[in-house]
C-alpha cells in the first residue's frame, strides 16, 4: 500500500512516522521549507496528543519529546492586581485537559527527524484525480505528479484537498482574535511572576484586559536530551531556553495600566514567536461516503487551543485503520470509513461542546 500525505504539519508528520513503522509506503509533500511558517512557540500537549505520539513515533523520538516537556499542568490560577502587584486570588484545582507544554519548533524538528527519504518540501499540492483502478493521482504546482492508494489531506486550515474533496465544508470566522507570544524566562525573572505560578497556567483579568500566562521550564535541557535520545535532530537545541508564553485578546493594544510584571512579559517577547490569530471554525459537514481520499486535523475540524492534539489523534487513528487494511484484516474503504466516523465523533462533537 502507498499513501500520499499533503502537509508536513503536526498531523501529517505523526501519520508519516506511524505508517512507516507499520510497513506502509508513505510520501509527504509540503509547500513550505522544513522550518515552516510561524505558528507560535508553545503547544499544550494533552493525553490525546501524547498517546498519539507514543503510538506513532519511534521510541527515541518519543523519549526526546517526553524529556523536553514542561512540568505537569494540573490547575489554573487566577491572578489579580493587589496594590499594583500580581497575586494569586483563585485556584481551579483541575484543568479541563491536564497536560504539559512543549516547545513547538522543537516538536516539529523531532517529527522531521529521520523522514528525509519521505518528506519533500517546496512542493505545493494543487489537485487530485481518482482513477478507474481505485488509485489517486496528486498534482503539484511544479507540474509533477504522484500516485497512491490513499491521499490524505493534512494540509491545515486552508486545505486544498478539502476544497476539492468536500467543497461544502468551509471555514467561518468566529470573530475572535488572539495575540500570542513568548518571552525568555531570564528577561522576566525579576518580576517574580515565574516563581509565583510554577507550572500552572494563570489567567490575569486586570482593568478590562485578560492575559493568560504559563511558564515552560524544560524538564531536561534540550541539548542534553538531544545527545541522549536523538543525536540526528537537526535543530540546534542549544538555542532553546526556558520561556513564558502569553496570550491575550487582540481587540486592542495591551493596556498600559497593566501591572509591571505583565508589561515586562509582553514588552520583552521574542518578535519571531509573536503571532496574531483569527479564530475560525468549520461547521460539521454531512457525513460523506468513504473513498481513497481523506482528511485529518485542521483540514477538516478546527479546535482553538487543542487542534494540534486532535490532528495527532486523527493521525494515530488513521494509521491504525490503514494498518488493518494493509494486513488484509479490513477492506481499504471500510478502514477509511471507520477512521472517518471516529474522526468526526472526536473532532466535531468536542469542538462544538
Ligand atoms: C499560536 C498558536 C498556538 C496554538 N496552540 C495550540 C495548543 O496549545 N494546543 C493545540 O493542540 N493546538 C494549538 N494550536 C493549534 C494547532 O497549531 C493546529 O491545530 C495544528 O497545527 C493542526 O495540525 P495539522 O497537521 O492539521 O495542520 P498544520 O500543522 O497547519 O500543517 C499543515 C501543513 O500543510 C501545509 N500545506 C498547506 N497547504 C498545502 C499544499 N497545498 N500543499 C502542500 N502543503 C500544504 C502547510 O504548509 C503546513 O505545513 C495553536 C495554533 C497556533 C497558531
Amino acid at each position: 500500500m502507498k499513501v500520499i500525505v499533503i502537509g508536513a504539519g503536526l498531523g501529517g508528520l505523526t501519520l508519516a512516522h506511524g505508517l512507516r513503522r507499520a510497513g506502509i509506503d508513505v510520501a509527504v509533500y509540503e509547500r513550505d521549507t522544513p522550518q515552516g511558517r510561524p505558528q507560535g512557540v508553545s503547544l499544550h500537549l494533552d493525553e490525546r496528543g501524547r498517546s498519539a505520539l507514543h503510538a506513532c513515533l519511534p521510541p527515541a523520538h518519543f523519549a526526546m519529546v517526553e524529556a523536553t516537556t514542561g512540568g505537569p499542568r494540573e490547575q489554573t490560577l487566577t491572578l489579580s492586581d493587589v496594590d499594583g502587584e500580581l497575586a494569586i486570588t483563585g485556584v481551579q484545582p483541575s484543568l479541563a485537559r491536564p497536560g504539559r507544554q512543549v516547545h513547538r519548533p522543537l516538536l516539529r524538528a523531532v517529527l522531521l527527524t529521520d523522514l528525509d527519504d519521505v518528506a519533500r518540501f517546496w512542493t505545493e499540492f494543487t489537485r487530485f484525480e481518482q482513477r478507474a483502478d481505485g488509485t489517486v493521482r496528486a498534482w503539484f504546482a511544479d507540474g509533477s505528479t504522484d500516485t497512491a492508494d490513499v491521499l490524505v489531506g493534512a494540509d491545515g486550515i486552508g486545505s486544498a484537498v478539502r476544497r476539492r474533496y468536500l467543497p461544502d465544508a468551509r471555514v467561518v470566522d468566529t470573530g475572535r482574535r488572539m495575540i500570542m507570544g513568548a518571552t525568555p524566562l531570564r528577561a522576566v525573572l525579576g518580576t517574580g511572576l515565574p516563581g509565583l505560578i510554577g507550572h500552572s497556567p494563570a489567567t490575569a483579568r486586570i482593568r478590562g484586559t485578560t492575559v493568560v500566562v504559563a511558564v515552560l521550564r524544560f524538564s531536561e535541557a534540550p541539548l542534553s536530551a538531544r545527545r541522549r535520545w536523538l543525536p540526528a535532530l537537526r535543530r540546534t537545541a542549544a538555542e532553546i531556553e526556558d520561556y513564558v508564553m502569553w496570550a491575550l485578546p487582540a481587540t486592542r493594544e495591551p493596556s498600559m495600566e497593566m501591572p509591571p510584571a505583565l508589561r515586562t512579559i509582553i514588552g520583552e517577547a521574542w518578535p519571531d514567536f509573536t503571532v496574531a490569530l483569527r479564530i475560525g471554525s468549520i461547521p460539521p459537514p454531512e457525513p460523506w461516503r468513504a473513498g481513497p481520499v481523506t482528511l485529518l486535523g485542521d483540514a477538516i475540524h478546527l479546535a482553538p487551543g487543542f487542534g494540534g492534539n486532535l490532528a495527532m489523534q486523527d493521525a494515530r487513528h488513521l494509521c491504525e485503520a490503514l494498518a488493518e487494511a494493509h494486513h488484509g484484516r479490513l477492506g481499504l474503504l471500510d478502514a477509511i470509513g471507520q477512521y472517518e466516523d471516529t474522526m468526526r465523533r472526536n473532532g466535531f462533537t468536542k469542538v462544538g461542546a
Side-chain angles (χ1 to χ4, degrees):
M1 181 192 299
K2 177 172 174 182
V3 178
I4 292 175
V5 179
I6 307 298
L10 298 176
L13 293 174
T14 302
L15 178 64
H17 277 288
L19 291 175
R20 201 159 68 169
R21 293 186 75 210
I24 297 172
D25 189 11
V26 56
V28 179
Y29 292 92
E30 165 61 49
R31 69 177 173 197
D32 285 343
T33 63
Q35 288 70 40
R37 291 170 198 214
Q39 285 187 301
V41 72
S42 224
L43 191 104
H44 175 83
L45 184 69
D46 64 29
E47 193 44 38
R48 293 169 296 189
R50 182 183 172 275
S51 60
L53 292 174
H54 188 225
C56 293
L57 298 191
H61 290 57
F62 181 67
M64 179 72 200
V65 176
E66 287 274 271
T68 51
T69 56
R73 309 172 89 195
E74 281 155 1
Q75 56 183 14
T76 309
L77 309 175
T78 305
L79 301 179
S80 304
D81 183 0
V82 177
D83 299 331
E85 298 285 332
L86 282 174
I88 297 172
T89 51
V91 179
Q92 226 179 304
S94 63
L95 205 62
R97 296 175 296 113
R100 292 169 185 257
Q101 265 193 100
V102 293
H103 185 275
R104 186 180 183 131
L106 180 61
L107 172 62
R108 188 149 187 281
V110 170
L111 289 172
L112 281 170
T113 302
D114 296 335
L115 285 186
D116 287 351
D117 53 331
V118 162
R120 198 168 137 197
F121 294 90
W122 293 110
T123 310
E124 182 177 3
F125 163 87
T126 51
R127 65 189 172 93
F128 67 83
E129 163 195 26
Q130 295 195 44
R131 292 151 50 103
D133 63 0
T135 60
V136 189
R137 175 179 289 169
W139 298 76
F140 302 96
D142 61 6
S144 62
T145 66
D146 194 3
T147 302
D149 303 289
V150 183
L151 172 73
V152 181
D155 47 348
I157 183 168
S159 174
V161 178
R162 180 192 68 235
R163 282 202 306 271
R164 278 155 191 81
Y165 190 49
L166 300 176
D168 291 337
R170 285 171 203 268
V171 177
V172 295
D173 186 350
T174 62
R176 291 167 53 210
R177 304 287 183 270
M178 186 85 90
I179 298 177
M180 297 182 84
T183 308
L185 195 61
R186 65 186 149 73
V188 301
L189 281 175
T191 65
L193 185 108
L196 184 69
I197 66 176
H199 298 303
S200 306
T203 303
R205 282 190 199 88
I206 292 158
R207 291 192 276 278
T209 302
T210 300
V211 185
V212 178
V213 285
V215 175
L216 190 150
R217 293 179 188 82
F218 288 103
S219 318
E220 180 176 352
L223 197 56
S224 98
R226 176 204 196 192
R227 271 196 297 268
R228 197 146 68 99
W229 297 112
L230 207 55
L233 179 72
R234 285 227 186 100
R235 191 183 166 92
T236 322
E239 74 201 28
I240 300 171
E241 57 178 304
D242 296 349
Y243 61 87
V244 183
M245 66 74 64
W246 51 266
L248 75 165
T251 45
R252 56 192 172 123
E253 292 293 307
S255 161
M256 292 323 283
E257 286 183 278
M258 66 172 53
L262 292 179
R263 272 214 311 272
T264 306
I265 285 173
I266 294 168
E268 297 293 323
W270 280 303
D272 288 1
F273 289 123
T274 306
V275 290
L277 303 178
R278 276 171 54 163
I279 314 283
S281 88
I282 300 178
E286 285 298 314
W288 58 94
R289 220 169 115 196
V293 178
T294 191
L295 294 152
L296 65 74
D298 278 12
I300 183 63
H301 47 64
L302 292 171
F306 56 99
N309 285 278
L310 289 189
M312 293 183 276
Q313 179 179 253
D314 284 350
R316 175 196 180 167
H317 289 149
L318 179 55
C319 181
E320 288 168 353
L322 293 177
E324 288 294 290
H326 181 57
H327 294 299
R329 293 191 284 266
L330 212 53
L332 180 59
L333 297 190
D334 289 339
I336 292 173
Q338 281 188 13
Y339 154 72
E340 288 176 342
D341 284 343
T342 308
M343 177 271 286
R344 278 187 287 259
R345 232 178 8 252
N346 291 331
F348 291 111
T349 28
K350 295 241 170 71
V351 173

